Amino acid sequence: MALDSKIPHGPLKDKWTDYKNHINLVNPANKRHIDVIVVGTGLAGGSAAATLAELGYNVKAFAYQDSPRRAHSIAAQGGINAAKNYQGDGDSTYRLFYDTVKGGDYRSREANVYRLAEVSANIIDQCVAQGVPFARDYGGLLDNRSFGGVLVSRTFYAKGQTGQQLLLGAYSAMNRQIARGKIEMFNRHEMLDVVKVDGKARGIIARNLITGEIERHSAHAVVIASGGYGNVYFLSTNAMGSNATAAWKIHKKGAYFANPCYTQIHPTCIPRSGDYQSKLTLMSESLRNDGRIWVPKNIEDSKALQQRKIKPTDIAEENRDYFLERRYPAFGNLVPRDVASRAAKERCDAGFGVNATGEAVFLDFASAITRYGKTQAKIQNIENPSDAKIYELGQAIVEEKYGNLFQMYEKIVDENPYETPMMIYPATHYTMGGVWVDYNLMTTVDGLYCIGEANFSEHGANRLGASALMQGLADGYFVLPYTIGDYLSNEIRTGKIPTNTPEFDEAEKEVTDRINFFINNKGEHSVDYYHKKLGKIMWDKCGMSRNEQGLKEAMVEIKALREDFWKNVKVPGSASEMNPELEKAGRVADFLELGELFAKDALNRNESCGGHFREESVELDGEQKGEAKRNDKDYAYVAAWEYKGEPADAVLHKEILEFKDIELKQRSYK
């Protein structure tokens, strides 16, 4: 099948405007006769459902949580990017576009990224109008902070609760439409299959997670906004319930999948404390604005820390290795996420880890607290302040900026991060791969759309932060409501889609047979037994560091694990009740299939990019294994990476190749 991305002709800066000017529309009187299903109610799904309903469409929204406000978007902490240039530091639509393309290692679809940069400012205006309490500076303007890998401050934030506040904004917009009857909300419902009629997506099969009832729902179009698949690694920063089922089901019904092996490794996660853990917790990247990352210079000190014979504060300043500042002086602790993650892993692999597992580095705020304290003492005209007073004043500033994050860390680790440095370690976070979509956000199945993290289009092999919230809200508020009208304009005479058809019968039977298998199979191992084994294979052989032998082994091991799963998995309880183990069984079955595709994709990409280092692909200079040759003036991977093949949809545009402040070797992709 030839993929048609439907990218409009013309210069990048004019594509979206010209496209909107000529797209087909549905008039207001006809919208009330058209039904749309939205699966997932995080930032992408929630904003899409609210906007489509506001336009007049009849929306059915599905969430496996007990409320849309519990979608995993609520866990996003650090901020959302937008090119409003409030800081006057040179930001622009083009600069955000360029940084996002570069941050994706030049594997993003540029037309989509430019559109994203264009609408980013509108997102902030929309959210402010909804009452989202973004931080403000002394003059009353919205405040910004820096994130890794960029040279401007464009990240809008609400302390460490940005995702929560943005989601509450979308949720309030949804509630308005629920009250008006334009959104029919289905909480505690999980989509288990999509239904196609004459090649078009016409509905879904869903399970009521409380009663176990299997339900049929029809619509003129289906929108998947179910988030990413980071839990294929078992341990990740994702919510325990985050899964790939909706995206994987539509893939098996004809929607193409793209770049499954691209996952983002986040450098500032609270380290695991043992093999019994089932969840990792993220510390916002914004902490790297003020926190300094270090390990001991002497391996003896690291061993003593691992054995708890000494405290971090016992190690003198001259015996600390601030390795990011040493290696990357231009960006210091705010290098891109992949660089920070790889550097931390390298230090820990070399034996310099600082916790009991040897998988942690320090994130230290002592310097920032002292710096802020001295400034506050000046402001308050305190002469000759004591060290204790300086620390007290500085701590108050840090607490104001990051207080809830410090609180969360202390509750989890049981250590006060104001008195002893935080510990962090890289962990699977965001997934850039996903369902292939065209410029309209439609999959390769007519009438089936995919938005937010569930699709692949904007991020390439993303190494940056604060992009995910931007894409989710851009798709939901400003892109899909336009592009879906182009398709639905041909559906105004279709009428209600019936559910008593052979296509719905067949899809429901497939779902029911699968559920019955899980309930009736008399295996000996729990679902988590298989999920943990899959996660270990994925992290060890398909994680930050990959090689040909390991990836081939992973494919064989995952296949064998999947075969054993279908023979020996045990699911207690029944199908006619709330049964979390049954839910997990279906999700892990999908992860086992996705995991093998993931490894196959990684094997076919003989390259290092994003958060992944392909060990045998290049000869690299530098003390850090996996450290790219770099241009310190404008951090970028240059001549070290070699690529083969050429992608449809990802060829570098002339505009990028002519951008003068970065030296690029001609790249192509596999």
Side-chain angles (χ1 to χ4, degrees), residues 45-99:
S47 59
T51 307
L52 292 171
E54 187 79 43
L55 289 171
Y57 296 107
N58 306 311
V59 177
K60 288 184 175 183
F62 293 80
Y64 74 77
Q65 300 93 344
D66 58 359
S67 166
R69 68 180 180 275
R70 290 177 64 84
H72 185 55
S73 299
I74 203 169
Q77 297 169 346
I80 177 171
N81 287 335
K84 292 185 80 71
N85 196 30
Y86 280 162
Q87 304 297 313
D89 57 2
D91 202 9
S92 65
T93 296
Y94 184 84
R95 178 69 63 173
L96 174 54
F97 155 72
Y98 172 73
D99 284 346

Side-chain angles (χ1 to χ4, degrees), residues 297-487:
K297 285 182 179 178
N298 304 314
I299 200 163
E300 294 79 11
D301 288 338
S302 292
K303 298 297 181 188
L305 285 168
Q306 291 168 18
Q307 297 164 16
R308 292 186 172 271
K309 292 181 178 178
I310 62 172
K311 297 178 181 179
T313 49
D314 294 334
I315 299 176
E317 186 72 16
E318 62 269 20
N319 292 324
R320 300 180 179 189
D321 178 15
Y322 295 94
F323 54 91
L324 292 181
E325 298 172 30
R326 171 171 58 83
R327 291 174 175 173
Y328 313 105
F331 281 78
N333 294 293
L334 280 174
V335 293
R337 287 178 173 179
D338 64 314
V339 179
S341 296
R342 197 161 49 243
K345 184 176 187 296
E346 183 275 331
R347 288 289 79 194
C348 291
D349 288 349
F352 289 88
V354 298
N355 69 346
T357 66
E359 295 179 343
V361 298
F362 288 127
L363 180 64
D364 195 336
F365 286 83
S367 295
I369 290 172
T370 300
R371 184 176 71 251
Y372 286 130
K374 289 179 178 179
T375 301
Q376 286 300 304
K378 290 277 188 185
I379 291 171
Q380 297 178 27
N381 292 317
I382 301 174
E383 293 187 12
N384 299 317
S386 66
D387 290 345
K389 185 62 178 178
I390 288 173
Y391 208 82
E392 177 191 331
L393 294 170
Q395 180 175 325
I397 298 298
V398 170
E399 188 171 352
E400 184 181 352
K401 293 179 73 172
Y402 309 113
N404 63 308
L405 296 170
F406 278 59
Q407 222 173 25
M408 185 166 66
Y409 180 90
E410 186 170 6
K411 285 184 177 180
I412 293 171
V413 182
D414 196 26
E415 287 184 358
N416 185 341
Y418 296 108
E419 297 174 359
T420 187
M422 283 186 181
M423 292 183 291
I424 58 169
Y425 191 71
T428 304
H429 181 50
Y430 187 84
T431 55
M432 290 81 75
V435 178
W436 186 94
V437 293
D438 62 19
Y439 191 72
N440 294 321
L441 305 181
M442 189 190 286
T443 70
T444 47
V445 175
D446 283 348
L448 183 57
Y449 291 79
C450 190
I451 62 176
E453 188 180 356
N455 78 30
F456 90 110
S457 62
E458 261 86 336
H459 297 296
N462 182 30
R463 307 177 290 132
L464 306 179
S467 301
L469 306 188
M470 176 173 59
Q471 187 214 351
L473 292 181
D475 286 355
Y477 282 136
F478 299 110
V479 179
L480 181 74
Y482 275 102
T483 62
I484 200 170
D486 188 51
Y487 173 79

